[in-house]
Amino acid sequence: MSGISLGFIEIQGVTAAVDALDIMCKTSGVELATWERKLGGRLATIIVKGDVASVTEAVEAVKSRAIKKPVAFGVIANPHSETMRLIELSAGRFMGKQTQEHSLDEQTIQEV
């Protein structure tokens, strides 16, 4: 996974998390890797990926411009393969939920 870095922002509230993601993506060339919601969405972790300079710039931008101050933040340059596996598991759950919701919608439409 050479050349890939991960940026983490943990922030209170889904609205603040979406704002943070928007800031990160607009600031530099990063993309969403995954996100996690805890405590019913009261705490959200946004994980972005990109080159180390872009990820660092994105995290710094959120620290200074987000609508809420991040609870925690970090950058991992050249993450270990086990770290990437953890992120991929999270992303798989996130994508699985999207697929399930989409399938349910199709099933509901077919029933109607």
Side-chain angles (χ1 to χ4, degrees), residues 4-20:
I4 296 290
S5 295
L6 299 173
F8 300 83
I9 293 290
E10 191 167 69
I11 199 161
Q12 292 180 337
V14 173
T15 302
V18 172
D19 175 61

Side-chain angles (χ1 to χ4, degrees), residues 3-105:
I4 296 290
S5 295
L6 299 173
F8 300 83
I9 293 290
E10 191 167 69
I11 199 161
Q12 292 180 337
V14 173
T15 302
V18 172
D19 175 61
L21 177 62
D22 187 61
I23 290 169
M24 287 191 282
C25 291
K26 286 179 179 176
T27 299
S28 59
V30 298
E31 62 182 61
L32 177 66
T34 189
W35 79 309
E36 297 274 339
R37 292 179 298 162
K38 300 295 180 202
L39 304 172
R42 292 183 302 227
L43 193 60
T45 303
I46 299 290
I47 305 171
V48 295
K49 62 184 177 178
D51 65 81
V52 70
S54 297
V55 169
T56 302
E57 181 182 14
V59 169
E60 291 298 320
V62 168
K63 286 169 46 181
S64 64
R65 297 190 346 231
I67 59 175
K68 285 190 176 182
K69 182 178 177 181
V71 174
F73 51 85
V75 172
I76 299 177
N78 194 24
H80 188 274
S81 61
E82 287 299 309
T83 305
M84 289 304 296
R85 188 169 74 85
L86 180 69
I87 300 304
E88 290 165 2
L89 285 171
S90 173
R93 284 192 310 269
F94 172 61
M95 293 305 289
K97 287 179 184 175
Q98 283 185 327
T99 303
Q100 271 183 338
E101 290 171 2
H102 184 66
S103 295
L104 181 62
D105 290 342

